[in-house]
């Protein structure tokens, strides 16, 4: 019984090795390493289909992430100029004494 149990454990470990290796590869994928993909080399046909599907899903995630990064950079660029103008105008107004009306004009211009 002990030998049969040990044999069963050995077979299970041996058969699950590709799954553990794929799991370690998947754990290495992060936003800083989105180009990494799981290797289908040396895996069974059943796992190869899963690996291919997972890699295609990663392709879609990477594409969406890259679009989001580009959008964020565009938004930051588009906001930089108006914000700089508003800050400069406010700094000029605060550089010397102003009337309430002048300050109100500057603040309403910032809106």
């Amino acid at each position: 019984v002990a030998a049969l149990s040990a044999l069963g454990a050995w077979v299970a470990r041996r058969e699950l090795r590709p799954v553990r290796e794929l799991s370690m590869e998947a754990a290495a994928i992060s936003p800083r390493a989105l180009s990494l993909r799981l290797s289908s080399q040396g895996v069974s046909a059943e796992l190869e289909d899963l690996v291919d599907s997972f890699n295609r899903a990663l392709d879609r995630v990477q594409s969406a992430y890259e679009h989001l990064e580009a959008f964020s950079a565009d938004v930051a660029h588009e906001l930089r100029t108006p914000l700089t103008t508003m800050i400069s105008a406010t700094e000029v107004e605060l550089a010397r004494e102003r009337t309430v009306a002048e300050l109100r004009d500057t603040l309403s211009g910032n809106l």
Side-chain angles (χ1 to χ4, degrees):
V1 173
L4 188 57
S5 180
L7 178 64
W10 176 80
V11 168
R13 274 194 309 275
R14 191 177 126 246
E15 293 300 315
L16 289 175
R17 183 179 309 133
V19 175
R20 282 194 310 275
E21 290 171 357
L22 290 172
S23 178
M24 289 188 312
E25 287 181 38
I29 299 170
S30 71
R32 295 186 190 277
L34 276 179
S35 63
L36 292 178
R37 297 296 181 264
L38 299 182
S39 172
S40 60
Q41 203 167 18
V43 297
S44 65
E46 295 85 5
L47 285 179
E48 189 172 350
D49 289 341
L50 178 63
V51 168
D52 290 341
S53 295
F54 188 78
N55 286 339
R56 285 192 303 273
L58 285 175
D59 290 340
R60 293 188 298 273
V61 168
Q62 181 178 8
S63 177
Y65 190 83
E66 289 168 353
H67 282 92
L68 185 59
E69 278 186 325
F71 175 76
S72 296
D74 290 345
V75 167
H77 177 73
E78 292 298 323
L79 288 175
R80 195 169 296 125
T81 300
L83 288 174
T84 301
T85 302
M86 288 172 43
I87 291 168
S88 296
T90 304
E91 287 174 341
V92 166
E93 290 297 311
L94 294 175
R96 66 177 179 85
E97 287 295 318
R98 304 279 180 179
T99 66
V100 172
E102 290 172 320
L103 292 173
R104 186 174 288 123
D105 285 344
T106 299
L107 289 175
S108 65
N110 286 346
L111 297 175

